[in-house]
Structure formats: C-alpha cells, structure tokens
Amino acid sequence: MDFAKKMLSRLFHHGDEREDAASTETNTQQSKTSQAAMVENVPSPTEIALPDDHVLYKLWDLWRDGVDVGPPPKLDFAPEDPKVELPVTNLSHEKGVLRQDLAFQAGLRLRHAVVHPDDQPAPVLDEMVLTHLSADQLAAWILLLPPIGGGRQLTAAQIKQALVQKGVTFGVDEQLLARLPSHPQKYFHLFFIAHGIPAIQGKDGMISDRFPRTVERTIQVDEFNRVDYTSLNFVHNVAEGDVICDISDPIPGKPGMSVLGQTIPARDGVPATPPKGRNTELSEDGRHLIATRAGHVEFSGRTFQVKPVLDIAQNVDYSTGNINFLGDVYIHGDVCSGFTVRAIGNIHVEGVVEACTIEAGGDLTVVGGIQGQGNAHISAHKNIYTKFIEHARVYARESVQADCVIISDVYSDGCLSVRTGRGTIIGGDIRVSKEVQALTIGSKSEAMTAITLGGLPCEDFERGQILSELREIEYTMEKLEPQPDSPAKSSKLAKLRLDMYVAKMKLEKFDKDFAALMPETPENDERRLICESLYPGTVIGIDGESIRIHEVTHHCTVRMVDGELKCIY
C-alpha cells in the first residue's frame, strides 16, 4: 500500500474494508455511511488542510508506526475556548505562512529523525515546540512534535521557556500550558497559546445635523394630478438660541499589547471642525452650534448660516412700499402691481403676483400664481415654482415648475415642467436650455407658440440687455455731438463715456463668463420636448433648425436625431 492509501487508512480506519466493499452488502452500507460522514465533516474556515504528502504527515506516520497511538495531525487556528475571539484579520494569509513554516521546520525534524543503515547509534530527539506568530503579533500558536528514539518529554516550564526564546511573554494561557504535558492529543495539534490586546483606534468627532444640508426640491403630486404649492416652502426657520447641529468630542485611542510584550500604538480621534457660519456660534461646552438670531438656516459651502427672514403679514402695496432685503422674504399676501420685491435669498409669496418686479437670489415660490398683465418681470437665480404664469416674462437660472403657462415669455437655463393641473402651454416665447415637458402645447385656435431649446437663454437675454444699453448710449451721444459746445454738453458727454466704458467692461466680463458656462452638447443630448398633445401653430427650434406643427399630434417627442430635428411619435 502506497503512502496516500496508508494515510487514508489511518485517518478513517476502514481502508481494508473499502477494498472489499463490493463483496458484501454490509461493506457497501459501511462505505455509504463513511461517505456521508465525510460530507458532514466539512472543515471549518479556521482549519488548515494539508496535502497527504505533507512532511507533517510523514512525521506523524513515523511516530505512529513506532508508538501506534495518537490522532492524526489537526491544524486549526480556533481557540479551545469558544468564548475567546480569534484575533486574526487575514486568515488566508496566516494559513499560507503557517504551511510554509511547518514545511520548513518539520522537514528539518524529519531529516534528523530518519534512520539510515549507516547511522550508529540511532538518533535521539527530545520533544519539540514549533511556535507561530500572527502577522500583527497579536496571537501565538504552538505545535508539539513527539520525542524520537527515547528522547525526553518537555515539562510545562520547558514549553514556556521555548515560548520565551521566541519572544512570547505576554498573554500566555497558563492554564492550557499547565495541561499540555498530560494532554491526550498534544502532538500534531495546533494550540492557541497566547493572546495580545489589540489597539483600539480613536474615533473622530462627529457632526450631527438638525437641519438638512441639501434641500430636496421635489414636487409632490396628489392623485388628482395637483400640486400643493403651499407646501413648497423651502425656508427652515430657526429662533435665536436654537441648536443647528450637535458636535461630539473625539475619543482617544487605547494602545494595545502584542504577545511579544511590545506596545501597539493607537491613533487618537481628531476633533470635528464646527460648520460655523454667519449668525451662528458655539455653545460654552463646544458641543452645539447655536443660532445667534432668528431666521432661515441654510448650509452654504462648508458652514451653516442663518439668513434673516423678512415676514410680511399683508400684501406688498403702498402700506409696505418696495422691498429690498438681504435675506429671505416671506409674503403672506399678494405682490400688487407696480411694486418691486428684491431679496438675496428665497422669496415665498402666499398670494398672487401681479404686474410687478420680483428678483430672488434663491428660489421663488408663488402659491397663487403670476398674473402679469403684460408688465411683470419675474426672475430667480435658482428655481421658480408657481401655480400658473399668465401674461408675464419669467427668468430662472435653473428650472421652472407650473400648472400652466399662458401667453408668457419663459427663459430657463434648466428645464420647464408643465405636467400638473391643466399642464398647458399656450402662446408666448419659451426658451429652455434642456427639456420642456407638458400635457398640452398650443390650442385649437392655433395660437402662435414658439419653443426654442438649447444654449443658456437667461445668459443670452442679459447679454442682449447690455448690448441694448450700449446702443442707447451710442445713439444719445450721436444726437449730442452736433449740439453747440457748452458746460452742460461736456458734462453729459463725460457721463455717457463713463457709462459706455462700464457697459463695455460688463460685456467683456459677461462674454468671458458665458464662454465658461456654455454647455457642450453631450453625446446623450438632453434637449427635447415631450408632450401628450401638440397643436398647430407651434414652432419648435433647436440649433437653428425648426419645425412647425400643422396638425394635432399626440404622445410625441421632438429632438435632434443624427443632426436632424424630428418629431417622434
């Protein structure tokens, strides 16, 4: 019988029976039972599988032939006590290192143990201790090899001394060490003998926000396809002394100890940087960021800041006058015709906006809607949310959301969505950078409705205003030049030249910024018009190309396809 068959015979104790398995039904049943046991005996993840020809098996075979006792080699990293956690992070790496270490040391032992005919006398080897340290030096294992040729067995003190020689001095399992000399399975088994203390890394200080850093501008539509614009208020009010966020202290690290008795350093936690902005301060204990005034909490860049909120309980009319505010404005009534509301932050209007001027540095929300009467100038640096837009000119640097747009000029550097409520766009000039979505565009009366996609419409309009201002200055100067010289003429010309210089500087800076902002047309072109019903009288243009709708079209998308503007049904 070769070595592999011999090893299988000793491992499972039925090698001879399996050779005669086909002769009797009893032996067949025993073979099936043995195979089932082998399937159930799946090695644990911590167990190290060795090939049958490994040098450790050869040593065990040599010792077994001489003594005829003892179980086969068992290499398992797991501690004997199941309550003890295995301190190994990279188990596969440790297995590979141990296999190499055992092959080398057991190979040396085998060369000294093999008896050659010329050896006089036979070799005598004492019991041997093989020691293995984990890569992080937090654990140590030992494997005992039996004495050969009448060699001495080691005492607990001698085993411990072997550990000391390897440097293992901390965390030694003294109880296991005392049991090892009389352990019934002490040879060819891996014992978890020493356990270090891992370092506990410190935790950085944390910031727990009580207000969102990013405002989710989502439109909630009910089952009747309606939007409750009263719930679109993005102002997060805070009172003076309210806590904006909580700041936890860092936790220092706790050093560990290796089985070699060496200290393992630990990193201390780093204090959190308080997001302290305008109108905020830290509490005395440094654990809270507090508002120093009432207003609207907003996260800008890296800090929280409290913007003042101007609360107007009535209409904006002669009782209030025009509004210019360095913060957010909340208007509970209407903005009446002829008045102006300007704010650096958001503007929220509960009522209706009439023929007036509104300029918002953030979002503009109009719950009642915009009834411009042909003289409304409405703009927002971010988004506009409104019930309807009628007879008004509207500008949004980002997007516009409305239930309907009637005979109005809309300029948006983002998207226009008119898919709730009536979802209708009728008449006017619509210029949108990316996408227009609506339920119905145009009308049965074939009202002229122009929709242009692409570019940056708001930027184009501002540049047009600067050019118009320059032309007006040049025209005035041309009329003034032929007049007789006088101090009044000289004063007017000097002022006009200064205005022209300023306008040209603005145009130069605008063109420079515009070139950086102008989006490149991506491979996945986002410029498109999507609608349920498209009526005659509608003209749609992209990149200088345009198509006119001559008949009612349903469920269509208008976009560029292979450089050609097409209406896809």
Side-chain angles (χ1 to χ4, degrees):
M1 182 183 297
D2 59 17
F3 181 75
K5 291 183 178 180
K6 183 178 180 181
M7 293 302 299
L8 287 172
S9 174
R10 290 169 180 171
L11 281 171
F12 303 107
H13 304 285
H14 57 261
D16 296 337
E17 291 83 355
R18 296 182 79 180
E19 293 177 356
D20 301 329
S23 60
T24 63
E25 183 178 353
T26 302
N27 287 345
T28 302
Q29 185 63 35
Q30 288 178 351
S31 177
K32 292 180 179 180
T33 304
S34 174
Q35 292 175 6
M38 291 175 64
V39 172
E40 293 176 359
N41 189 24
V42 178
S44 68
T46 58
E47 188 173 340
I48 302 174
L50 297 176
D52 293 343
D53 59 349
H54 193 273
V55 65
L56 199 65
Y57 276 118
K58 295 179 181 179
L59 276 176
W60 174 72
D61 188 51
L62 180 66
W63 173 66
R64 179 178 173 81
D65 285 345
V67 182
D68 198 27
V69 292
K74 180 180 181 183
L75 304 182
D76 198 328
F77 276 117
E80 285 190 337
D81 187 354
K83 297 180 181 179
V84 178
E85 184 178 355
L86 181 65
V88 176
T89 55
N90 192 341
L91 194 58
S92 61
H93 173 74
E94 292 294 342
K95 288 181 178 181
V97 173
L98 181 59
R99 286 192 192 98
Q100 295 178 1
D101 194 18
L102 284 177
F104 176 74
Q105 297 193 54
L108 292 177
R109 179 78 168 182
L110 183 62
R111 283 199 295 270
H112 289 91
V114 174
V115 180
H116 296 284
D118 298 335
D119 287 344
Q120 293 296 333
V124 177
L125 301 177
D126 295 338
E127 187 176 309
M128 185 177 180
V129 180
L130 301 184
T131 306
H132 174 73
L133 297 180
S134 62
D136 55 11
Q137 298 181 348
L138 284 174
W141 292 265
I142 61 172
L143 186 141
L144 300 179
L145 297 178
I148 294 176
R152 294 180 300 112
Q153 293 188 350
L154 300 181
T155 64
Q158 290 172 326
I159 296 174
K160 185 172 184 179
Q161 183 60 33
L163 288 172
V164 172
Q165 290 177 357
K166 292 292 186 179
V168 179
T169 57
F170 180 82
V172 177
D173 189 343
E174 298 289 348
Q175 294 182 355
L176 175 60
L177 194 62
R179 296 197 313 268
L180 276 179
S182 58
H183 198 288
Q185 299 178 357
K186 68 176 181 176
Y187 296 132
F188 298 101
H189 279 57
L190 200 62
F191 293 98
F192 181 60
I193 197 64
H195 191 311
I197 300 175
I200 300 176
Q201 304 299 331
K203 293 184 179 180
D204 296 340
M206 299 292 291
I207 305 292
S208 299
D209 299 332
R210 298 195 182 186
F211 291 87
R213 298 196 178 197
T214 303
V215 178
E216 296 293 336
R217 293 177 171 85
T218 57
I219 304 299
Q220 300 294 331
V221 182
D222 63 16
E223 64 272 20
F224 301 106
N225 198 33
R226 297 178 304 188
V227 176
D228 182 9
Y229 288 89
T230 60
S231 65
L232 297 183
N233 180 23
F234 303 121
V235 175
H236 297 283
N237 292 313
V238 66
E240 182 179 352
D242 285 353
V243 176
I244 298 173
C245 62
D246 304 302
I247 306 169
S248 63
D249 294 331
I251 300 176
K254 187 176 180 180
M257 184 70 69
S258 72
V259 294
L260 301 180
Q262 298 173 347
T263 301
I264 302 175
R267 182 186 68 87
D268 290 334
V270 178
T273 301
K276 183 178 179 297
R278 185 161 53 95
N279 297 323
T280 65
E281 67 177 8
L282 292 175
S283 59
E284 293 183 0
D285 58 6
R287 295 188 175 184
H288 307 285
L289 185 66
I290 298 174
T292 58
R293 64 164 298 161
H296 160 61
V297 178
E298 183 178 277
F299 186 80
S300 177
R302 298 181 178 179
T303 61
F304 280 104
Q305 57 181 327
V306 178
K307 291 184 177 180
V309 177
L310 177 62
D311 193 275
I312 300 175
Q314 67 274 9
N315 297 337
V316 175
D317 52 20
Y318 289 102
S319 63
T320 61
N322 295 330
I323 305 296
N324 288 278
F325 193 63
L326 301 176
D328 296 329
V329 176
Y330 196 108
I331 301 169
H332 293 268
D334 303 332
V335 181
C336 298
S337 298
F339 290 89
T340 299
V341 178
R342 291 186 175 93
I344 289 180
N346 302 321
I347 298 177
H348 185 96
V349 181
E350 288 285 348
V352 176
V353 169
E354 298 178 354
C356 61
T357 299
I358 295 181
E359 296 179 8
D363 293 323
L364 169 64
T365 303
V366 183
V367 176
I370 301 172
Q371 177 55 267
Q373 304 168 24
N375 291 306
H377 180 97
I378 312 298
S379 65
H381 195 73
K382 292 186 178 179
N383 302 283
I384 293 178
Y385 305 92
T386 181
K387 186 73 173 177
F388 59 83
I389 303 172
E390 291 187 10
H391 301 280
R393 178 169 285 181
V394 173
Y395 308 87
R397 289 293 182 92
E398 293 186 6
S399 298
V400 177
Q401 160 70 36
D403 282 1
C404 65
V405 178
I406 309 296
I407 314 177
S408 298
D409 296 339
V410 178
Y411 297 77
S412 171
D413 289 348
C415 301
L416 171 63
S417 178
V418 191
R419 296 187 65 85
T420 56
R422 293 172 60 187
T424 303
I425 299 175
I426 301 176
D429 186 9
I430 309 296
R431 297 177 180 268
V432 177
S433 176
K434 296 180 181 178
E435 184 177 81
V436 174
Q437 291 193 30
L439 298 180
T440 304
I441 297 178
S443 64
K444 295 180 180 179
S445 62
E446 301 187 8
M448 180 61 185
T449 306
I451 298 178
T452 305
L453 299 171
L456 295 173
C458 289
E459 303 287 343
D460 291 338
F461 178 79
E462 289 186 15
R463 189 176 189 278
Q465 284 186 314
I466 297 174
L467 290 174
S468 177
E469 181 183 348
L470 274 172
R471 286 193 294 268
E472 183 66 26
I473 293 172
E474 291 172 352
Y475 176 73
T476 305
M477 291 179 67
E478 289 176 359
K479 290 180 61 178
L480 193 60
E481 287 288 350
Q483 297 180 10
D485 293 338
S486 65
K489 175 185 174 181
S490 299
S491 176
K492 288 181 181 179
L493 284 175
K495 184 179 183 303
L496 287 172
R497 291 190 185 99
L498 179 61
D499 291 343
M500 178 176 286
Y501 175 77
V502 172
K504 287 183 177 179
M505 290 292 292
K506 288 168 61 178
L507 183 62
E508 183 180 347
K509 183 179 184 303
F510 185 90
D511 288 341
K512 183 178 180 181
D513 295 341
F514 181 79
L517 291 172
M518 187 64 183
E520 297 181 2
T521 303
E523 294 183 4
N524 183 20
D525 196 346
E526 297 179 345
R527 299 172 301 173
R528 60 175 63 87
L529 180 145
I530 303 172
C531 69
E532 300 295 324
S533 299
L534 193 58
Y535 282 88
T538 302
V539 178
I540 304 163
I542 301 178
D543 289 344
E545 294 193 21
S546 63
I547 58 173
R548 178 183 290 272
I549 306 302
H550 296 286
E551 59 184 15
V552 180
T553 306
H554 298 288
H555 306 290
C556 63
T557 298
V558 180
R559 58 179 300 177
M560 296 294 291
V561 179
D562 297 329
E564 183 180 353
L565 187 59
K566 292 186 177 181
C567 183
I568 304 172
Y569 304 100

